[in-house]
Amino acid sequence: MTRYDDLSASEFAQGFPTEETISTLRDELFFQRAVQAYLWSLPAINIWAMKEGSEKQFGSGYNVLPIWQNRIDAKTLVTTPNFDVVYAMGYLDLDEHGPLVVEAPSGVLGMFDDFWQRPIEGPTIDGHTWKGDVGLAGPDAGEGGTFILLPPDYDGPNPESGYVYRSRTRNVFLFWRAFFSDPHDLTPAVDKLESTVIYPLGGKDRALAMHFPHASGVECNMLFPSDGTYFEMLDRFIQNEAVDRSDLDLRGFLHTIGIEKGTPFTPDEHDRELLDKAARTAFKISKVTVTHLLALEPGGTYYDGLRWVNTFAGENTEFQSSETFTNLEQRTAFFTAAYSDSPGMVMNIVDKGAKYPATMKDADGNWLDGAKSYSLHLPPKIPAALFWSVALYDNVSASGLDNGQPFPSINTMDKPTYNQDGSHDIYFGPNRPAAADDSNWLRTVPGKGYFVIVRLYGPQQAFFDQSWKPSDLKLLD
């Protein structure tokens, strides 16, 4: 008999459960609630882990904005970072500091997300309501501007100037990406990010001086746990954050496993063991979702007959394009392997935002193997108004593949070798294939699987009408 047969055949005597049945089904309920709580809370704990990891290493406060001054590399453990821009990532506590004003620099591609990684709703201008986006895809159109962040319980007067964004959570994720043209001189991009100013509403004169810790090359773990400590982190999140009444049913799942706002989380040894097993199971389910189930969803692949998957099919930042349900497969697949969410990332906007085709399989449908060599063909006129890149990620943690190269990526600015017709061939393998050179080869690691993301910043019409498309990765002899 299978486990499911055993559960369905649990013994009842005269209609009442036996002691064995009570124990078995109580634990089953606890385990199931814990697994679903893990998967449901992934967006929140993904970003909460980033906050805790960053603040442990670089400090906390509205005035603290870490900058990856030499670009992010594999020493920073975080899901699917972009190695080919200069990052600034900050965590703003609107409960501790009240409404905050952010003077955003010009020329960035940025966003404000709440701590469920939902783009924060901003002003309505000429009939369009802005959500999350700042900079090139935002209301300031890349010119920079003053943004005001209000907490969920704010009942004061509406600010009369600036772009006003009201968060549904007490904490807000600030995420800037600055571009560069010369990978050997990132100073202009760093200077741009360091012109950010943040201060309490009405308190600019009394504000703390901005602090920009340099984060490149610093070991920093910002990954969410895959074991029972996940639920300890989830409890810290619940205790810190506001209650959204739309979440009350799912917070009932948390109540079952002992997590409740205002109540200490004190599971006994038996329940801790169940929570650990539930977390390990849920983490693996999330990986089945991103490796298998995602591609089965409507629009889950970009191209017929090719392996490139699309997490944001439906162009909806909350995975609700059906208008009748939240697509939890897409949601889980995204947040087990990535962070941050805004219309600029999701919507099909020619020459703005970004697109992220990803693959874990080769042309024959086999998992990518770090001991083998492959090639990827990018046809001429790659449709990226800003830049394109190809990057490698660890298939378990989704962090950058630590392959011994300075960055596990190749981008436009690196000026990789191109073919006579303007196309590019990118090579992957533990050793450089004979047809490759150092500019178009990414090293892989024997014994480790990985996945590939092609980033197109400022995707052009040829991407959307599919007159341009990348090949699958082809196994080399």
Side-chain angles (χ1 to χ4, degrees):
M1 294 177 69
T2 69
R3 170 171 171 264
Y4 305 109
D5 292 327
D6 291 340
L7 289 171
S8 65
S10 297
E11 185 179 358
F12 277 58
Q14 297 183 14
F16 294 104
T18 65
E19 290 300 317
E20 181 181 0
T21 293
I22 290 171
S23 176
T24 298
L25 293 188
R26 179 272 175 191
D27 283 357
E28 182 67 25
L29 175 65
F30 188 96
F31 180 83
Q32 289 189 17
R33 292 273 168 91
V35 168
Q36 293 306 316
Y38 186 111
L39 297 173
W40 164 68
S41 62
L42 262 178
I45 305 310
N46 179 311
I47 197 70
W48 191 262
M50 291 173 61
K51 169 184 162 69
E52 287 194 353
S54 177
E55 292 181 348
K56 179 181 178 181
Q57 190 64 254
F58 305 115
S60 63
Y62 65 80
N63 63 318
V64 177
L65 184 59
I67 294 175
W68 279 259
Q69 80 285 359
N70 294 322
R71 299 158 56 187
I72 201 166
D73 61 21
K75 289 185 180 296
T76 299
L77 301 180
V78 69
T79 52
T80 53
N82 185 345
F83 312 105
D84 304 300
V85 293
V86 180
Y87 267 9
M89 297 192 288
Y91 309 88
L92 308 178
D93 189 334
L94 304 181
D95 186 53
E96 180 178 357
H97 304 293
L100 291 173
V101 178
V102 179
E103 295 181 2
S106 63
V108 300
L109 189 63
M111 70 181 72
F112 298 122
D113 277 358
D114 72 16
F115 260 47
W116 283 95
Q117 300 202 57
R118 299 170 298 207
I120 298 175
E121 187 166 309
T124 298
I125 301 173
D126 296 331
H128 174 76
T129 299
W130 293 92
K131 294 183 178 181
D133 286 312
V134 175
L136 297 174
D140 59 307
E143 296 298 319
T146 300
F147 294 78
I148 301 170
L149 301 173
L150 302 180
D153 57 355
Y154 178 76
D155 59 2
N158 286 326
E160 295 182 357
S161 62
Y163 303 109
V164 179
Y165 285 64
R166 183 183 289 270
S167 178
R168 293 168 63 182
T169 59
R170 293 173 175 174
N171 291 278
V172 169
F173 177 50
L174 179 156
F175 185 23
W176 295 165
R177 290 158 288 182
F179 304 106
F180 57 86
S181 56
D182 181 355
H184 303 293
D185 182 12
L186 304 180
T187 301
V190 173
D191 288 347
K192 187 183 297 292
L193 296 178
E194 290 186 349
S195 68
T196 304
V197 181
I198 306 172
Y199 50 89
L201 180 64
K204 186 173 184 179
D205 294 342
R206 304 182 303 277
L208 298 172
M210 291 297 297
H211 178 47
F212 301 102
H214 281 186
S216 292
V218 177
E219 293 186 1
C220 184
N221 186 349
M222 299 195 290
L223 296 171
F224 59 89
S226 58
D227 60 13
T229 61
Y230 182 98
F231 294 104
E232 297 170 11
M233 187 174 286
L234 175 55
D235 179 65
R236 294 195 293 274
F237 171 82
I238 291 297
Q239 302 308 329
N240 185 275
E241 262 301 341
V243 174
D244 188 330
R245 295 194 64 81
S246 65
D247 293 336
L248 293 188
D249 284 353
L250 285 165
R251 284 172 179 260
F253 282 50
L254 303 187
H255 168 75
T256 301
I257 63 175
I259 297 176
E260 182 178 344
K261 190 171 180 66
T263 300
F265 178 47
T266 57
D268 60 25
E269 184 176 349
H270 174 77
D271 285 352
R272 282 193 183 277
E273 184 177 347
L274 284 175
L275 288 169
D276 185 66
K277 292 177 179 178
R280 295 175 187 277
T281 300
F283 181 77
K284 291 179 178 180
I285 288 173
S286 77
K287 296 306 172 183
V288 170
T289 303
V290 72
T291 59
H292 178 68
L293 300 181
L294 175 60
L296 304 179
E297 292 301 310
T301 57
Y302 273 104
Y303 313 103
D304 290 341
L306 296 177
R307 305 292 177 179
W308 298 96
V309 297
N310 177 13
T311 307
F312 276 124
E315 301 182 65
N316 188 284
T317 57
E318 295 190 39
F319 308 93
Q320 295 172 347
S321 60
S322 71
E323 298 186 354
T324 61
F325 67 94
T326 300
N327 190 312
L328 295 177
E329 277 63 62
Q330 290 178 340
R331 182 179 184 267
T332 298
F334 183 81
F335 288 113
T336 193
Y339 65 91
S340 74
D341 185 1
S342 79
M345 295 174 62
V346 175
M347 303 298 291
N348 293 338
I349 309 172
V350 176
D351 293 334
K352 293 184 179 181
K355 290 297 176 183
Y356 308 87
T359 187
M360 300 182 178
K361 294 182 177 181
D362 67 14
D364 297 320
N366 299 314
W367 302 119
L368 296 176
D369 184 339
K372 298 178 180 179
S373 296
Y374 306 87
S375 66
L376 164 66
H377 184 70
L378 303 176
K381 299 180 179 179
I382 299 173
L386 295 174
F387 75 91
W388 60 267
S389 69
V390 177
L392 302 185
Y393 297 94
D394 185 294
N395 65 328
V396 177
S397 71
S399 191
L401 185 69
D402 193 358
N403 66 356
Q405 293 176 314
F407 305 100
S409 67
I410 293 170
N411 63 58
T412 303
M413 297 74 72
D414 292 329
K415 299 180 180 178
T417 299
Y418 56 88
N419 301 318
Q420 193 169 18
D421 64 354
S423 65
H424 288 269
D425 290 307
I426 307 298
Y427 295 90
F428 311 85
N431 300 298
R432 192 178 72 191
D437 60 38
D438 285 340
S439 76
N440 62 2
W441 165 57
L442 289 170
R443 181 184 287 119
T444 59
V445 180
K448 285 197 69 65
Y450 63 94
F451 63 96
V452 177
I453 296 179
V454 173
R455 283 181 170 84
L456 302 172
Y457 271 72
Q460 297 173 312
Q461 183 60 37
F463 172 80
F464 295 109
D465 66 24
Q466 299 194 0
S467 58
W468 182 95
K469 61 183 73 172
S471 76
D472 278 327
L473 272 69
K474 296 181 179 178
L475 183 65
L476 299 177
D477 295 331

